[in-house]
Amino acid sequence: MLKRYLLPGAAAVLLSACNGIFGDIYDDPAGEPDTGYGFVIESENSMPGTIYIDATDYRDWVYLNFGAASAVTLDVDAPAPERWDMAVHRYDVKTNGGAVLQTEVSDFGEVALLPGAAFTPDVWTTGTIVTDMSGMMDGNLEYAGSFYNPVLSQWLDVDKSTMPPVYTLSGRVYVLRLSSGDYAAVKLVNYMDASAVKGFMTIQYVYPYLP
């Protein structure tokens, strides 16, 4: 289930995608895909499920609750939901007091956690979560202070040294140790919709994951 909350008086505005050489830079959504959002296939009996979310808006966090199989989209300045496990902002990710391990494998069934495996908690950043790209060509970006997980955010590398940028999926499974003590495993399998608009994220997951 996907919910979206707007501030009072706010209007939802769809922007057309930029064409030409800068299309890959701004990546404004051209329209809603037909596929439903949220936990479109729930994980069951250690079998992977699928989460599909719209992370095209730089002003949004999409909060995921694995146990409730729910996704809630909120403005970056809005308080987080009472219960959530992982949140996605564009391609950046944070946990709710959890920690993350990047594995060396791409198959959920091949994950083997070694004793003493090092999980990385979230860190505070003031220069990672971009909220306004409109001044990018002048070198001016706006950021929001937030926690984020530097390991889980490696699930997609965006190389901006060339134009258009080069996007590379890590293809790896990431294990989340949640604040509850439970585990979840996730893998980013796509960052575009059927029209190649970037920011539509397809995530495979296993919950509960038993290491």
Side-chain angles (χ1 to χ4, degrees), residues 119-159:
F119 283 74
T120 301
D122 292 6
V123 297
W124 180 260
T125 178
T126 57
T128 301
I129 309 304
V130 178
T131 59
D132 189 345
M133 294 281 288
S134 61
M136 187 187 67
M137 301 310 297
D138 297 323
N140 297 319
L141 299 176
E142 292 186 12
Y143 297 87
S146 175
F147 282 98
Y148 94 114
N149 193 281
V151 170
L152 186 48
S153 297
Q154 293 176 24
W155 62 0
L156 179 66
D157 178 71
V158 183
D159 182 359

Side-chain angles (χ1 to χ4, degrees), residues 53-133:
I53 61 173
D54 178 354
T56 56
D57 196 326
Y58 285 90
R59 290 290 311 174
D60 288 343
W61 279 103
V62 183
Y63 292 89
L64 305 177
N65 183 323
F66 294 119
S70 65
V72 177
T73 301
L74 295 172
D75 186 87
V76 292
D77 293 327
E82 181 178 355
R83 295 181 180 178
W84 61 281
D85 299 308
M86 173 181 130
V88 181
H89 168 275
R90 194 62 177 181
Y91 311 127
D92 303 307
V93 199
K94 65 181 176 181
T95 70
N96 187 11
V100 181
L101 173 71
Q102 177 179 265
T103 75
E104 299 297 323
V105 301
S106 59
D107 190 316
F108 289 99
E110 295 178 357
V111 175
L113 296 186
L114 298 176
F119 283 74
T120 301
D122 292 6
V123 297
W124 180 260
T125 178
T126 57
T128 301
I129 309 304
V130 178
T131 59
D132 189 345
M133 294 281 288

Side-chain angles (χ1 to χ4, degrees), residues 16-40:
S16 5
C18 292
N19 296 319
I21 188 171
F22 298 123
D24 281 331
I25 300 175
Y26 292 102
D27 296 328
D28 291 328
E32 298 287 325
D34 294 332
T35 309
Y37 293 106
F39 285 70
V40 294

